[in-house]
Amino acid sequence: MTWLSSLFFNPSIALMGAGLIAVPLIIHLINRVRYRRVQFAAMEFLLQAEQRNRQRLLIEQLLLLLLRTLIVLALLLLIARLVLDPSQFALFRESRTHHVVLVDDSASTRERRGETTAWAEGLGVIRKLAAEGARRPQTQRLTVLLASRPDKPLLTDRDVNQPLVEELASRLDPVSFKPTHQRVDFLKGIQSASDLLLADKAGVRELHVISDYRSRDWNDQKPLAQAMETLAEADVGIHLIRTTPQAGPNLAITRLDGAVSTAAAGVPLRLTAGITNFGTEVVTDVRASIYDNGVKTPTTVIFDRIEPGTEVLHEVDLQFPSPGYRRVEIRLDADGYPVDNVRHLSVNVSAAIPVLIVDGDPAGDAASYVADALAADPAATGFQTTIDNPDILRRRPLDDYRCIYLLNVGELPPDSLDYLEKYVRRGGALMMALGDSVRSEAFNRVFHREGDGLSPLPLGNAPLEFATDVTSTEPDLKAGKHPAFAILQGDDNPFLDAVHIQKLFEPAVGWEVDDVVRGDNVKTIAKHKSGRPVMLEKPYGAGKVTLLLTTAQPAWNDWALNPSYVVFQLDLLKSLISSDKNEALRVTGEPILLSLDPALYTDQVELSIPDIDGQRTVRLQASPQDGQTSASSKPKGTEASASTRPDTTPASQQNSASNQNSTVGIRLVVEEKETDLPGIYSVRLTTQNQTTEEKLYAYNVPLEESQLAVITVDSLRKTMGNNEKLSIHEAQDVSWIEGEEAGSELRTSLLAALVILLLAEQWLSYRLSYHPAKGQVAR
C-alpha cells in the first residue's frame, strides 16, 4: 500500500479499481462464446470468405478491446489521481517527511474578517496538513513552532497519525487557544526552524510559514530572504501560507499620555489622546470614552475627521479628587480589530509635588520668586516648595523631592555634590540658575568637570553685560522648541518679546555653540539675540539638568517681572520631572524586572496581573542577583536610564540609603514574564517595617501591530528573491495540501486522452459494426 501512496493521492481507490480494467476483456470473451456452432452447407462458402479476412478482423477486435480497456484505465487514474512524478508531490512522499510549521501568533492575527480571523485560518491549515499526512501512516512527522517563542515548540517531531489529528483538533481550537498580544520576530522563528530542519539529514524536509504577512514585517526584509535561501540550498521545500488576503479598515488609539509625574490631587491633569486611521477611507465623528478606575467619566473626546494614514490628537483634562494610583483608560467602539480600541495609563496622584529650592545667597530673593511662580497657590498648581540653604543636600533624603532648584550656588562640598549627582543620575530633575555668588573657576571644577559633571557647559571667566538699546525691536530672549516655551510662542503670546537681559554668563572660550556640530546631547533651548546661549538642557543618567545662564530673580534681567515667568516656570518644572513619564508605560510581552535592596525590602513580591476574567494574583520570591557587585564599585555613569531599565528600587528609599553613605552590595531580583494581556499590572512590595508599597504598570499592544497593511504576493516573492524552492499559498485554498496542484497538468493530459480514446472507440465501433446499404433492409 505504501508504494501506491507515492503514485496516487487516493491509493485505496486505485487498488479497488484495478479489477475494473479486466471488464472489457471479460465482455469480449463472453461475446465470443455466446453462440453455438452449427454446421450447414450454406455457411461453408461464408467461412472460406472469412478465412481470408480473419487476421484483419482479429486485429480490429483487439484494437477495439484495447481502446475500451484504456478508457476504463483513464477513468480509474483520474479518480485515483495519479502522480507520475513523486517529486512534485513534495508534502507527502513515500520516504519520511519532516514538516516544520512556524505559525504567526502576533497580535495582528486577531483581526476579524466575517466569521473568522487570521489566527483561526492558520490553525485550520495546521489541522488540514496533519489530516492529509495521517492518510499515509508512518511516513510523516510534524513540528509546530509559535513565532512568539520559537525556542519552545508546541509540538516536537511527532508522528502524523489519526491520534495526533484528534489531539490537534482539541489543542488548536481557536476558541480556547488564542494568539498573543505581542509583536513577534520572524527572523528568530525562521532561524529556529532552520536549526531543526538542517539538523535532520534523513528524508524530505518541508518548512511551512503561516502568517498574515503584514507589510511592516515582510517588506524589504533581506535577512529573512537570506535565511530562506539557505534553506533552499539545503533542498528544503518552503511554503508561505497567507491567512489574510487584504487588510480591513482600522481605527486605533495610538496615544494616551501626559505629564503624569505632575499629577496632584484636585489639580487638572492634561492628557493627550491620539487616534490613527490605518484604513484607506476618511472617518468622521469618532467618539472615545474616558474611564477612571473602571468608571466611565463624563468626558468624551470627539474626533470630527480623521484622514487615512493620519493621527489626530486631542487634549483632555482629568481631575482626581484624592491621592493614590489611578487606572485611566480611553476606549473606542469595537471594530474588526478590537485589540487597539483601548489604551491604558497608570497615574500616581500625589497629595502635592514636593520641590526643593536651594538658594546660595542667604540675602538674596531668587528662591522667593521661583516659589511664588510655582506654588503661590499650591491647591491650584499642585506644587509644594521648600526653601533652604545648600546644607540641606546632606541633611535630607533628596528623593523626597521631585525636583531641585539650585539658585546662585557656585560650589558644593564633595558629599553634597555626590548626593546631588546620584539623585539626578537615578532620574531626578535639577534646575540651575546663576548669580553673583558664582565664580567660573570653582563652578567649572565642581559642576562641569570636563563634561562629566552636572553643568551642560563650562562658564567663561566673567558674566557679560549688555547695554540697553531702546531703539532695537529685536527681543533679547529667543526661545527654542521646548515644552517650557510651547504656550509662550507665536504671535498671540508676545510676552517673551518684552523680556530684557542685562547680564549673562557666556560659555568658556573654545566651547562650540552649535549643538549639531558639538554632538554632546546638550540642547540649547533659549538664546540671546546675540546668538549666545541663555538656557541649556543636558541628560544626566536617567535624569535631566537645565542651566539658566542668568539669574532667576530680577537682578540680571527683568524676566521674573514678566507675566510669562509663571507659565515658563510651571511648564519647565513639568518637563523636568516628566523625564520618566514612560517608565511605567510598556508594551505587552515586556517582562517586569524588579531589583530590590534587601536592607529595605523583604523578598516577598505580590503581583496583580490582568486576566480574561479580571485580575489574578501571583506571589513571587526574590532571590540574590547573580554576578552582582557593590554599587560603589560600579563605574560612574553605568546606571541605566529610567526609559530603558525595567524597574528600580523606589526613589524615596534609594536616596535615603545614599544619604546615609551606605552602598548596596547584595540585590534581590525577581522577574515576571507573563505580561501578554494589555491592562494595568500592580506590584506590591513589603518593606522591612512591614509597610506595603505599590506601583502600577500600564501595558498596551505595540503600536506596530495596528498597521494591518498586507504585502502583495508579487512583493513577497520579490522580497524572498524569487526562490525556486519557495511557493506561496492562500490559507483558504487547500489544494496545495490535498495535492491538486502537484497533479494538475497530469489531470489535464488524462482528460484530453480520455476524450481522444472515447472518440476513437466510437469511430472504430461504428466501422466494425454492420450497416446495411442505403435502401436495403437488414435481414
Side-chain angles (χ1 to χ4, degrees), residues 116 145 187 227 312 348 402 417 456 698 768:
T116 187
L145 307 177
L187 184 58
V312 177
N348 185 9
R402 301 300 302 277
L417 179 64
L768 296 180

Side-chain angles (χ1 to χ4, degrees), residues 192-463:
S192 296
S194 298
D195 293 341
L196 293 173
L197 289 166
L198 297 179
D200 188 355
K201 303 298 183 182
V204 182
R205 297 164 296 175
E206 301 290 331
L207 171 64
H208 310 269
V209 183
I210 303 175
S211 172
D212 50 17
Y213 288 93
R214 308 296 178 179
S215 296
R216 62 173 188 271
D217 296 320
W218 292 91
N219 197 26
D220 296 329
Q221 293 291 334
K222 291 184 179 180
L224 284 174
Q226 292 173 353
M228 298 290 189
E229 184 63 30
T230 300
L231 287 171
E233 292 175 354
D235 199 27
V236 174
I238 304 170
H239 304 269
L240 307 184
I241 302 101
R242 295 167 18 111
T243 57
T244 301
Q246 62 183 6
N250 182 37
L251 282 179
I253 301 177
T254 50
R255 186 172 174 183
L256 179 63
D257 56 28
V260 296
S261 297
T262 64
V267 180
L269 174 66
R270 177 152 295 182
L271 300 177
T272 300
I275 296 182
T276 301
N277 181 5
F278 289 100
T280 57
E281 297 181 357
V282 176
V283 181
T284 59
D285 194 26
V286 178
R287 298 173 181 265
S289 301
I290 304 293
Y291 290 77
D292 176 16
N293 283 347
V295 178
K296 185 177 180 180
T297 68
T299 304
T300 299
V301 188
I302 301 176
F303 299 79
D304 296 327
R305 181 183 178 90
I306 309 178
E307 297 287 341
T310 61
E311 181 185 44
V312 177
L313 303 178
H314 270 297
E315 291 184 336
V316 56
D317 290 332
L318 293 182
Q319 187 168 326
F320 306 102
S322 59
Y325 271 107
R326 315 292 291 198
R327 294 168 167 86
V328 179
E329 297 177 14
I330 180 171
R331 301 179 189 173
L332 286 175
D333 292 336
D335 57 14
Y337 185 57
V339 175
D340 56 12
N341 290 343
V342 60
R343 196 157 186 84
H344 305 271
L345 180 69
S346 65
V347 181
N348 185 9
V349 182
S350 303
I353 307 296
V355 178
L356 175 62
I357 303 176
V358 178
D359 197 334
D361 184 3
D365 55 359
S368 62
Y369 275 93
V370 174
D372 288 344
L374 297 177
D377 182 4
T381 65
F383 297 113
Q384 186 176 39
T385 59
T386 299
I387 300 175
D388 212 323
N389 58 52
D391 190 53
I392 194 177
L393 299 177
R394 62 171 61 161
R395 289 187 287 106
R396 287 287 304 272
L398 300 186
D399 284 327
D400 287 349
Y401 304 99
R402 301 300 302 277
C403 183
I404 297 176
Y405 278 73
L406 214 60
L407 309 178
N408 202 9
V409 177
E411 57 181 319
L412 289 173
D415 57 345
S416 297
L417 179 64
D418 182 54
Y419 297 149
L420 185 61
E421 288 184 344
K422 287 179 179 178
Y423 162 81
V424 179
R425 192 178 290 121
R426 283 192 300 268
L430 176 64
M431 164 63 181
M432 304 174 70
L434 305 183
D436 291 328
S437 299
V438 175
R439 299 293 178 265
S440 299
E441 183 180 354
F443 183 91
N444 293 339
R445 183 183 70 254
V446 173
F447 292 109
H448 186 253
R449 297 204 314 275
E450 303 295 331
D452 292 333
L454 294 167
S455 175
L457 55 64
L459 300 182
N461 292 331

Side-chain angles (χ1 to χ4, degrees), residues 510-773:
W511 189 82
E512 175 58 53
V513 177
D514 191 304
D515 294 346
V516 177
V517 175
R518 194 173 59 253
D520 57 357
N521 292 326
V522 173
K523 181 181 179 182
T524 303
I525 59 177
K527 291 183 178 182
H528 187 262
K529 64 182 180 180
S530 64
R532 295 175 174 85
V534 173
M535 187 177 299
L536 305 100
E537 189 173 80
K538 172 184 179 178
Y540 191 78
K544 192 183 298 182
V545 180
T546 298
L547 174 63
L548 179 64
L549 294 174
T550 185
T551 58
Q553 78 277 23
W556 294 3
N557 59 77
D558 60 0
W559 196 358
L561 304 176
N562 189 282
S564 67
Y565 190 72
V566 173
V567 177
F568 160 75
Q569 288 290 0
L570 289 172
D571 288 348
L572 174 64
L573 182 54
K574 290 179 181 179
S575 70
L576 280 171
I577 65 179
S578 297
S579 59
D580 64 341
K581 66 180 180 181
N582 292 323
E583 194 271 336
L585 191 60
R586 306 183 176 201
V587 296
T588 50
E590 180 182 352
I592 298 175
L593 180 62
L594 304 174
S595 177
L596 309 176
D597 181 358
L600 304 174
Y601 296 96
T602 68
D603 59 357
Q604 300 300 311
V605 179
E606 184 177 287
L607 282 78
S608 179
I609 297 176
D611 192 75
I612 296 177
D613 299 324
Q615 297 280 128
R616 63 184 176 93
T617 301
V618 177
R619 291 177 175 83
L620 303 175
Q621 184 172 359
S623 58
Q625 183 177 0
D626 295 334
Q628 54 197 334
T629 59
S630 173
S632 60
S633 64
K634 290 183 179 181
K636 180 174 56 179
T638 59
E639 289 83 351
S641 67
S643 60
T644 58
R645 62 186 176 185
D647 194 15
T648 59
T649 302
S652 62
Q653 300 294 338
Q654 285 183 331
N655 202 72
S656 175
S658 297
N659 280 8
Q660 297 169 10
N661 202 25
S662 64
T663 58
V664 178
I666 302 298
R667 304 293 294 183
L668 296 177
V669 295
V670 62
E671 184 176 12
E672 172 59 37
K673 295 183 178 180
E674 297 299 324
T675 58
D676 178 66
L677 284 178
I680 302 295
Y681 291 70
S682 170
V683 176
R684 298 183 185 90
L685 305 176
T686 303
T687 69
Q688 294 294 351
N689 297 328
Q690 297 304 305
T691 59
T692 301
E693 292 184 2
E694 184 181 30
K695 189 166 188 177
L696 302 186
Y697 298 89
Y699 276 79
N700 293 290
V701 176
L703 297 180
E704 296 87 352
E705 289 299 300
S706 297
Q707 301 171 16
L708 301 181
V710 178
I711 189 171
T712 64
V713 173
D714 292 340
S715 297
L716 180 58
R717 191 172 294 281
K718 182 178 179 181
T719 297
M720 294 296 107
N722 295 317
N723 194 326
E724 293 183 357
K725 295 287 290 184
L726 182 145
S727 56
I728 301 174
H729 317 282
E730 301 295 333
Q732 297 79 10
D733 178 14
V734 294
S735 60
W736 63 278
I737 298 178
E738 297 174 346
E740 294 179 6
E741 290 183 350
S744 59
E745 284 191 15
L746 189 57
R747 276 203 311 278
T748 303
S749 301
L750 284 173
L751 284 171
L754 181 60
V755 171
I756 294 173
L757 289 172
L758 288 171
L759 293 175
E761 190 272 342
Q762 287 296 308
W763 174 79
L764 191 57
S765 297
Y766 180 83
R767 183 178 181 280
L768 296 180
S769 61
Y770 172 74
H771 301 281

Side-chain angles (χ1 to χ4, degrees), residues 1-22 72-73 75-82:
M1 189 69 176
T2 303
W3 66 272
L4 283 176
S5 300
S6 65
L7 296 176
F8 297 95
F9 289 102
N10 299 317
S12 58
I13 295 178
L15 190 62
M16 291 185 296
L20 296 176
I21 300 175
V72 175
L73 179 60
L75 289 172
L76 174 63
L77 294 180
L78 278 172
I79 297 172
R81 297 167 65 184
L82 172 68

Side-chain angles (χ1 to χ4, degrees), residues 102 105 143-154 184-193 196:
L102 176 65
D105 60 339
T143 296
V144 179
L145 307 177
L146 297 177
S148 63
R149 43 188 177 93
D151 56 328
K152 298 178 180 179
L154 189 65
V184 300
D185 187 342
F186 286 101
L187 184 58
K188 288 184 178 179
I190 296 297
Q191 289 172 342
S192 296
L196 293 173

